[in-house]
Amino acid sequence: MTATATTVLTARALLLDMDGTLVNSDAAVERVWRRWADRHGLDGDEVMKVVHGRQGYASMALLLPDRPMEQNHADSARMLAEETADTEGVVAIPGAPEFLASLHGLPHALVTSADVPLSTARMAAAGLAQPDVRVTAESVGASKPDPEGFLKGAAELGIAPADCIAFEDSGAGITAARAAGMRVVGVGPRAGLHGPDVVVEDLTRVRVEAGADGTLRLHIG
């Protein structure tokens, strides 16, 4: 549902995707992936329907199903280097700086399909502080929509998955969080297509209140 009147959700930890959730990197993602689509004779619009939220090799496996996976991993490494070098137009999602600042000292983690260099570059370009706990591409064996990243984030925080709320923008990410047993706040226009618990236009619509018992109350809307 879209948050119109204020919705209140309670949790003990928040798990935050990066691209599309904290950082608007759509312009850079489009540039890199449309070049890749051209090189492989694929329709750029169709490629863009697949790539959000996934690690590069996982997107390539869907788009070029007959290609050996080792080629996908090699190609993905080159793409990550391209994306890391291209931060033009990478900016914070509205409300992200204030939202992250409000989480200081509270249980939260970054759970991203980007690797460490890419996530570091994009968060810096957007002027955002990195959470202390970060689950990146290097940390997992399976890309979203597999739940491994979200489960690992919850484990590192010491919080049961059912007590976590994930913030996501993509179908792959929302599916991953759901498979991990978490509730999901969808951020931005893509999110509403994939059945999160609540959808917000951006992070200006979310306020976090910490209770004395460790409970986080999310006021959304």
Side-chain angles (χ1 to χ4, degrees), residues 54-72:
R54 292 181 170 86
Q55 291 189 43
Y57 75 86
S59 296
M60 293 170 189
L62 291 173
L63 292 161
L64 296 173
D66 297 327
R67 192 166 78 155
M69 187 58 82
E70 58 266 28
Q71 283 185 242
N72 294 336

Side-chain angles (χ1 to χ4, degrees), residues 156-217:
E156 290 197 21
L157 293 171
I159 305 294
D163 291 326
C164 297
I165 291 177
F167 283 68
E168 268 286 0
D169 72 301
S170 70
I174 291 169
T175 298
R178 284 260 187 247
M182 299 175 183
R183 289 157 294 154
V184 186
V185 174
V187 180
R190 282 189 292 268
L193 303 174
H194 304 286
D197 292 273
V198 62
V199 182
V200 292
E201 181 180 351
D202 58 42
L203 294 171
T204 64
R205 313 298 297 174
V206 183
R207 181 171 61 86
V208 180
E209 179 185 17
D213 63 350
T215 297
L216 306 180
R217 290 173 60 84

